[in-house]
Short mmCIF file of all heavy atoms in Angstrom, two decimals:
data_model
loop_
_atom_site.label_atom_id
_atom_site.label_comp_id
_atom_site.label_asym_id
_atom_site.label_seq_id
_atom_site.Cartn_x
_atom_site.Cartn_y
_atom_site.Cartn_z
N ASP X 97 -5.19 -4.14 5.70
CA ASP X 97 -5.78 -3.42 4.53
C ASP X 97 -7.01 -4.23 4.09
O ASP X 97 -8.08 -3.60 3.76
CB ASP X 97 -4.79 -3.37 3.34
CG ASP X 97 -3.76 -2.29 3.58
OD1 ASP X 97 -3.94 -1.46 4.53
OD2 ASP X 97 -2.72 -2.30 2.82
N ALA X 98 -6.90 -5.55 3.97
CA ALA X 98 -7.98 -6.36 3.49
C ALA X 98 -9.21 -6.27 4.48
O ALA X 98 -10.34 -6.09 3.98
CB ALA X 98 -7.55 -7.85 3.44
N LEU X 99 -8.92 -6.19 5.75
CA LEU X 99 -10.04 -6.01 6.71
C LEU X 99 -10.74 -4.70 6.51
O LEU X 99 -11.97 -4.59 6.58
CB LEU X 99 -9.55 -6.19 8.14
CG LEU X 99 -9.04 -7.58 8.47
CD1 LEU X 99 -8.62 -7.66 9.95
CD2 LEU X 99 -10.07 -8.67 8.22
N LEU X 100 -9.93 -3.64 6.28
CA LEU X 100 -10.54 -2.36 6.06
C LEU X 100 -11.40 -2.32 4.77
O LEU X 100 -12.51 -1.74 4.76
CB LEU X 100 -9.48 -1.22 6.01
CG LEU X 100 -8.71 -1.05 7.27
CD1 LEU X 100 -7.49 -0.13 7.07
CD2 LEU X 100 -9.55 -0.47 8.35
N ILE X 101 -10.91 -3.01 3.75
CA ILE X 101 -11.69 -3.16 2.50
C ILE X 101 -13.01 -3.83 2.78
O ILE X 101 -14.07 -3.36 2.37
CB ILE X 101 -10.91 -3.98 1.43
CG1 ILE X 101 -9.66 -3.22 0.95
CG2 ILE X 101 -11.83 -4.40 0.30
CD1 ILE X 101 -8.82 -4.05 0.03
N ARG X 102 -12.91 -4.92 3.55
CA ARG X 102 -14.15 -5.67 3.89
C ARG X 102 -15.16 -4.83 4.70
O ARG X 102 -16.31 -4.97 4.54
CB ARG X 102 -13.85 -6.97 4.57
CG ARG X 102 -13.26 -8.13 3.76
CD ARG X 102 -13.96 -8.43 2.43
NE ARG X 102 -15.39 -8.23 2.42
CZ ARG X 102 -16.07 -8.18 1.26
NH1 ARG X 102 -15.45 -8.29 0.09
NH2 ARG X 102 -17.35 -7.95 1.24
N LEU X 103 -14.60 -3.99 5.64
CA LEU X 103 -15.48 -3.14 6.38
C LEU X 103 -16.22 -2.14 5.51
O LEU X 103 -17.43 -1.94 5.65
CB LEU X 103 -14.68 -2.42 7.47
CG LEU X 103 -14.32 -3.26 8.69
CD1 LEU X 103 -13.50 -2.46 9.63
CD2 LEU X 103 -15.60 -3.69 9.41
N GLN X 104 -15.48 -1.56 4.53
CA GLN X 104 -16.14 -0.62 3.65
C GLN X 104 -17.22 -1.28 2.84
O GLN X 104 -18.21 -0.73 2.50
CB GLN X 104 -15.11 0.09 2.79
CG GLN X 104 -15.61 0.78 1.56
CD GLN X 104 -16.59 1.94 1.92
OE1 GLN X 104 -16.50 2.51 2.97
NE2 GLN X 104 -17.51 2.25 0.93
N LEU X 105 -16.98 -2.56 2.42
CA LEU X 105 -17.90 -3.27 1.56
C LEU X 105 -18.98 -4.08 2.31
O LEU X 105 -19.81 -4.72 1.70
CB LEU X 105 -17.15 -4.20 0.66
CG LEU X 105 -16.30 -3.61 -0.45
CD1 LEU X 105 -15.57 -4.64 -1.26
CD2 LEU X 105 -17.18 -2.71 -1.38
N ALA X 106 -18.98 -3.97 3.64
CA ALA X 106 -19.92 -4.83 4.44
C ALA X 106 -21.35 -4.59 4.08
O ALA X 106 -22.11 -5.52 3.99
CB ALA X 106 -19.69 -4.64 5.93
N THR X 107 -21.75 -3.36 3.88
CA THR X 107 -23.18 -3.07 3.57
C THR X 107 -23.20 -2.14 2.39
O THR X 107 -22.28 -1.45 2.08
CB THR X 107 -23.83 -2.39 4.77
OG1 THR X 107 -23.05 -1.18 5.08
CG2 THR X 107 -23.86 -3.26 5.99
N PRO X 108 -24.38 -2.11 1.69
CA PRO X 108 -24.51 -1.18 0.54
C PRO X 108 -24.42 0.32 0.95
O PRO X 108 -24.83 0.64 2.09
CB PRO X 108 -25.88 -1.53 0.00
CG PRO X 108 -26.27 -2.79 0.57
CD PRO X 108 -25.58 -2.93 1.84
N GLU X 109 -23.96 1.12 0.07
CA GLU X 109 -23.90 2.55 0.28
C GLU X 109 -23.25 2.88 1.66
O GLU X 109 -23.68 3.79 2.34
CB GLU X 109 -25.27 3.19 0.17
CG GLU X 109 -25.75 3.21 -1.28
CD GLU X 109 -27.27 3.08 -1.35
OE1 GLU X 109 -27.94 3.56 -0.56
OE2 GLU X 109 -27.69 2.45 -2.34
N ASN X 110 -22.23 2.14 1.97
CA ASN X 110 -21.56 2.28 3.25
C ASN X 110 -20.56 3.43 3.22
O ASN X 110 -19.95 3.76 2.14
CB ASN X 110 -20.86 1.00 3.58
CG ASN X 110 -20.37 0.95 5.02
OD1 ASN X 110 -20.75 1.79 5.80
ND2 ASN X 110 -19.52 -0.02 5.34
N GLN X 111 -20.33 4.13 4.32
CA GLN X 111 -19.34 5.18 4.40
C GLN X 111 -18.42 4.90 5.58
O GLN X 111 -18.48 5.56 6.60
CB GLN X 111 -20.02 6.51 4.60
CG GLN X 111 -20.94 6.95 3.48
CD GLN X 111 -20.14 7.52 2.33
OE1 GLN X 111 -19.13 8.20 2.50
NE2 GLN X 111 -20.59 7.31 1.10
N PHE X 112 -17.56 3.89 5.44
CA PHE X 112 -16.70 3.53 6.56
C PHE X 112 -15.45 4.40 6.58
O PHE X 112 -14.70 4.41 5.67
CB PHE X 112 -16.31 2.04 6.46
CG PHE X 112 -15.24 1.66 7.40
CD1 PHE X 112 -15.50 1.69 8.77
CD2 PHE X 112 -13.99 1.27 6.96
CE1 PHE X 112 -14.49 1.30 9.71
CE2 PHE X 112 -12.99 0.95 7.83
CZ PHE X 112 -13.22 0.95 9.18
N TRP X 113 -15.30 5.21 7.62
CA TRP X 113 -14.15 6.05 7.82
C TRP X 113 -13.80 6.85 6.59
O TRP X 113 -14.62 7.54 6.08
CB TRP X 113 -12.98 5.12 8.32
CG TRP X 113 -11.89 5.91 9.11
CD1 TRP X 113 -11.86 7.21 9.39
CD2 TRP X 113 -10.70 5.40 9.68
NE1 TRP X 113 -10.77 7.56 10.09
CE2 TRP X 113 -10.03 6.46 10.29
CE3 TRP X 113 -10.11 4.09 9.69
CZ2 TRP X 113 -8.79 6.24 10.93
CZ3 TRP X 113 -8.97 3.92 10.34
CH2 TRP X 113 -8.25 4.98 10.93
N VAL X 114 -12.52 6.64 6.08
CA VAL X 114 -12.16 7.44 4.88
C VAL X 114 -12.19 6.61 3.59
O VAL X 114 -11.83 7.12 2.54
CB VAL X 114 -10.74 8.01 5.09
CG1 VAL X 114 -10.71 8.99 6.22
CG2 VAL X 114 -9.75 6.84 5.35
N PHE X 115 -12.57 5.35 3.68
CA PHE X 115 -12.27 4.46 2.59
C PHE X 115 -13.31 4.50 1.46
O PHE X 115 -13.91 3.47 1.12
CB PHE X 115 -12.04 3.03 3.13
CG PHE X 115 -10.88 3.01 4.07
CD1 PHE X 115 -11.11 2.90 5.43
CD2 PHE X 115 -9.60 3.19 3.65
CE1 PHE X 115 -10.05 2.89 6.29
CE2 PHE X 115 -8.55 3.17 4.50
CZ PHE X 115 -8.80 3.03 5.89
N GLN X 116 -13.51 5.62 0.86
CA GLN X 116 -14.23 5.73 -0.36
C GLN X 116 -13.38 6.37 -1.42
O GLN X 116 -12.40 7.07 -1.12
CB GLN X 116 -15.54 6.59 -0.12
CG GLN X 116 -16.50 6.00 0.87
CD GLN X 116 -16.13 6.42 2.27
OE1 GLN X 116 -15.72 7.57 2.53
NE2 GLN X 116 -16.29 5.53 3.23
N GLY X 117 -13.74 6.21 -2.68
CA GLY X 117 -13.02 6.89 -3.78
C GLY X 117 -11.58 6.64 -3.70
O GLY X 117 -11.06 5.51 -3.64
#
Side-chain angles (χ1 to χ4, degrees):
Chain X
D97 285 346
L99 294 181
L100 295 171
I101 290 174
R102 284 313 328 162
L103 281 175
Q104 164 62 26
L105 289 179
T107 56
E109 287 148 36
N110 192 12
Q111 296 280 324
F112 170 67
W113 203 0
V114 294
F115 300 106
Q116 298 86 38

